[in-house]
Amino acid sequence: MGLLEASVAVVHGKVVENFRMPSAEDAYYETLIIPGFSDGHAHPQVVDGGVREGRRWSDSYDWLERRELAVDEVKVRRDLELSKRLARLTLLRGLLEGTTLMALTGRLLANVKALLSLKHRPRAVLLPTVMDRAGWTLEEVREDYAKASYLVGDGMARMGIFVHSLRLAKESTVREAISLAAKSGAVLGLHLGEGVSERGRFLEVFGRPPYSIRIVPVHCIDDDMSSLGLSCVACPATNVMLYGRTRRDLSGISAFGSDWPLLLGTTPMHLPLMLRAFRDSPLSLLRSATVGGYRLYNVPHDGDYVAYDASLEEVLRERRPPSLVVVNEEVAVREGRLVEGGYALSDVRKAVEEAVKEALDLYGNGHSASSLLREHEELFMRWS
Ligand SMILES: [Zn+2]
């Protein structure tokens, strides 16, 4: 047995100096974070957020209606191979950035296949998206659900369901989604209050607590659901990019999500933006971005941590990728490279660009992948 030492450790959001813990081998790092980062809301098949210079939307429904995407989203998610590849790249990018738990919406079967294709992977909460629209209907999800429940059996993933939003799913769809998910003790996620208050409608559909299922609302720019015993996943990056505003403090929020991991990177890459947008202390934000997501989704975090050859200040403000990433006591990233395959973050980012290019070639309108990625990244950096 060896000893892992760190000059500074952040353990569940608390700073401990000169930290030591038993480990498989002797090692020293400047900064250690326990557990690793949680990405509480990620769409692994989103290759275009519709972000364009000078465009702004009032709320999520306005965005869904008026955005002009460079790619046909339904065709992308129906292409199981491509959807799997996008999900796999999302997971690899997440690991290399220090994300040890990801809540994945989108195409369930593709996400499950991506998880199973990797020996080392983040923990996952599987939240297939449902809405009353072709490509996302409950019937389509039900089919994948049966296959996925069979495939997920190693305890590293939790099942759930994601009702896209209250206006895009009838009450009967919500009820059926609950009964489908509740069978496996699952979580129900939904976009809520994304630019417009939906608390009233939520109460009409779900009533008051206690609820028969764990409910995790996402975004909540306009609703604080804490009086109903609910806590939210905030996605400040897409909030500011799409609507020009986000919540400014952690009231009613206990975790963060990247929303578009392939375009913007996973939660740790959003730390500079969080620090700028929120009034809370860096440590409170770090706590939400790490253990917060685990608690919200009730996922164990034993043996999950990330370590850096960089100071805590650099980790918080400079998007430093970790040197070491450990999930469930197994090393997934060593010296900034995936143990499986040896890829570094720059390799995976190149592969993301190739996959986005393929999606655009197959199902797009001629927009170039590099300019699409650049447009998203530039706007993201401007807000960070
Ligand atoms: Zn979302």
Side-chain angles (χ1 to χ4, degrees):
M1 204 53 158
L3 200 61
L4 194 153
E5 295 179 80
S7 169
V8 170
V10 182
V11 185
H12 300 183
K14 288 199 183 75
V15 170
V16 184
E17 285 179 18
N18 301 318
F19 183 86
R20 291 161 169 225
M21 70 176 188
S23 148
E25 52 204 85
D26 284 328
Y28 169 82
Y29 294 95
E30 261 189 78
T31 306
L32 176 69
I33 300 181
I34 307 174
F37 287 87
S38 50
D39 193 330
H41 184 63
H43 294 264
Q45 280 92 32
V46 166
V47 296
D48 180 16
V51 164
R52 303 290 180 269
E53 189 63 44
R55 292 216 61 178
R56 192 63 71 77
W57 291 266
S58 61
D59 56 66
S60 59
Y61 300 106
D62 180 38
W63 171 68
L64 277 165
E65 200 158 304
R66 292 198 301 118
R67 66 186 181 165
E68 286 157 29
L69 291 187
V71 68
D72 185 329
E73 282 192 322
V74 176
K75 287 186 179 155
V76 171
R77 57 177 285 131
R78 283 199 171 141
D79 183 333
L80 188 58
E81 267 315 301
L82 177 62
S83 286
K84 172 193 160 187
R85 190 167 142 210
L86 294 168
R88 187 179 152 94
L89 289 169
T90 300
L91 295 165
L92 295 180
R93 182 168 185 171
L95 277 181
L96 285 162
E97 291 172 345
T99 300
T100 46
L101 165 66
M102 297 193 84
L104 301 168
T105 60
R107 177 84 196 266
L108 175 63
L109 193 56
N111 297 345
V112 170
K113 281 178 176 278
L115 283 163
L116 292 178
S117 75
L118 297 170
K119 185 163 174 281
H120 299 285
R121 52 193 190 238
R123 295 182 198 261
V125 184
L126 294 160
L127 299 158
T129 312
V130 176
M131 55 178 142
D132 294 324
R133 275 191 179 184
W136 282 271
T137 65
L138 192 61
E139 286 325 302
E140 289 173 77
V141 169
R142 205 187 290 277
E143 230 173 81
D144 280 0
Y145 217 85
K147 293 181 207 155
S149 309
Y150 166 73
L151 289 170
V152 176
D154 64 359
M156 289 284 286
R158 262 201 91 164
M159 292 295 286
I161 201 144
F162 197 83
V163 171
H164 183 278
S165 49
L166 292 173
R167 285 195 209 164
L168 296 181
K170 295 192 297 278
E171 266 189 70
S172 57
T173 305
V174 176
R175 255 179 265 291
E176 282 175 52
I178 292 174
S179 71
L180 175 65
K183 277 186 207 136
S184 39
V187 184
L188 181 131
L190 79 165
H191 293 128
L192 190 91
E194 191 179 343
V196 58
S197 172
E198 296 188 288
R199 189 188 157 89
R201 179 67 188 145
F202 180 91
L203 281 167
E204 278 171 24
V205 174
F206 290 91
R208 293 193 167 272
Y211 301 111
S212 60
I213 192 165
R214 182 181 285 262
I215 300 173
V216 177
V218 176
H219 288 284
C220 308
I221 308 171
D222 300 272
D223 293 301
D224 181 340
M225 304 298 281
S226 44
S227 67
L228 298 176
L230 301 178
S231 198
C232 196
V233 176
C235 304
T238 51
N239 291 348
V240 293
M241 290 169 73
L242 295 174
Y243 318 117
R245 65 196 180 89
T246 190
R247 287 187 87 88
R248 303 294 311 280
D249 61 61
L250 287 170
S251 54
I253 292 168
S254 57
F256 286 104
S258 66
D259 219 356
W260 304 335
L262 289 177
L263 298 167
L264 311 177
T266 56
T267 314
M269 299 298 110
H270 296 231
L271 285 166
L273 189 146
M274 289 173 206
L275 288 165
R276 197 170 163 194
F278 283 75
R279 287 187 281 254
D280 305 83
S281 72
L283 275 183
S284 305
L285 296 169
L286 190 57
R287 185 185 307 121
S288 299
T290 53
V291 73
Y294 281 87
R295 289 190 180 141
L296 192 56
Y297 286 107
N298 195 20
V299 172
H301 46 69
D302 314 281
D304 291 11
Y305 53 90
V306 289
Y308 298 81
D309 291 309
S311 69
L312 178 57
E313 197 58 20
E314 288 165 331
V315 172
L316 287 168
R317 302 196 185 269
E318 295 179 15
R319 297 189 176 83
R320 292 293 184 98
S323 304
L324 179 79
V325 177
V326 178
V327 183
N328 197 25
E329 302 289 2
E330 288 202 25
V331 176
V333 172
R334 194 191 296 277
E335 291 174 19
R337 288 182 173 272
L338 293 166
V339 168
E340 194 178 354
Y343 299 110
L345 186 54
S346 55
D347 302 317
V348 170
R349 291 192 62 164
K350 240 175 264 161
V352 168
E353 182 163 343
E354 280 159 25
V356 171
K357 184 175 181 311
E358 189 183 321
L360 291 180
D361 287 347
L362 286 169
Y363 310 116
N365 63 4
H367 209 98
S368 101
S370 55
S371 74
L372 190 78
L373 291 166
R374 202 178 45 242
E375 280 168 293
H376 286 79
E377 186 155 348
E378 277 176 7
L379 191 59
F380 178 52
M381 295 306 279
R382 219 178 295 159
W383 281 98
S384 298

